[in-house]
Amino acid sequence: MAHWPTVRRTERADTIVRRQQRRAALASLVMAVMMTVTATACGTALQDLGPLPPRFSGPPLPADTVVSEMTSALAAEGVTVTRQPSDALGRCSERLSGRHAPDTVDSALKSAFARARSEYGWQAGPDLGSGTLTLTKGNWTVLASFPAPEPAQGIQAMVVMSLTCLDAGGSTTSPTPTATPGT
C-alpha cells in the first residue's frame, strides 16, 4: 500500500502537465489565427499606391529670389537685414538677420509678413505658436520668432529669419557641371 500514494501523485502531476500543455496549444492556436486575421486585414492597407505627390507645386524658387522678396518686404516696414552665408554645403537654407527698435519690432515683423503675402504671393505657413511667424511659397518656408520682450537698455532687438527649402533644386549653391577636354 505504500506504493499507492506515489502512483496517485504521479498521475495527478501528469494530469496537471497535460492541462498546461493543452492550454499552451490552445493559446498558440488562437495567436496563429489572430496573426493570420491581422495579416489578411492589413494586407489591403499596405498596397502600393504609387509615388507621393510633390510637396510643393510649380518650379523650385531660387534662393536669391526668396531672399530678395523677404528683404524687400522687411525693408518696406523699416527692418534692415543682411543675408548670412549658409553654413552647410548642399543644404538648402538661408538666414537673414538685423536689428530693429524693440518697441516696434513685433508690429514691423507682422506687417512685413502681411506685405510678403499680399505683394509676393506668400502663403501663411504652419502655426508654430504665438511667438512665431511662418510663410510658405513653392519649395520654401520662412520662419521668424519675435525677439525677447525687453532687450538690454539702449540695444536694438535682434531680428532673425530662417529660410529653408524642401529640396536643393532651388538653391543657388548647386554645383555647375564642368566639361571635360575632348568631349
Side-chain angles (χ1 to χ4, degrees), residues 104-163:
T104 60
V105 69
D106 291 355
S107 61
L109 282 175
K110 287 178 185 176
S111 297
F113 273 59
R115 183 178 298 274
R117 284 193 302 274
S118 65
E119 291 183 13
Y120 299 105
W122 286 83
Q123 301 295 316
D127 183 15
L128 300 178
S130 61
T132 306
L133 298 170
T134 58
L135 292 173
T136 61
K137 182 177 179 182
N139 57 325
W140 287 87
T141 300
V142 175
L143 172 79
S145 296
F146 293 121
E150 295 180 30
Q153 186 74 6
I155 296 178
Q156 290 189 322
M158 184 73 172
V159 175
V160 177
M161 185 176 293
S162 298
L163 301 97

Side-chain angles (χ1 to χ4, degrees), residues 57-129:
S57 61
L61 295 172
D64 291 336
T65 301
V66 174
V67 168
S68 174
E69 289 178 0
M70 293 311 300
T71 302
S72 295
L74 288 164
E77 298 302 325
V79 180
T80 304
V81 292
T82 57
R83 185 178 189 173
Q84 303 297 314
S86 180
D87 297 19
L89 290 174
R91 185 150 182 229
C92 189
S93 65
E94 297 288 335
R95 184 175 141 180
L96 303 176
S97 65
R99 296 201 173 268
H100 190 71
D103 53 340
T104 60
V105 69
D106 291 355
S107 61
L109 282 175
K110 287 178 185 176
S111 297
F113 273 59
R115 183 178 298 274
R117 284 193 302 274
S118 65
E119 291 183 13
Y120 299 105
W122 286 83
Q123 301 295 316
D127 183 15
L128 300 178

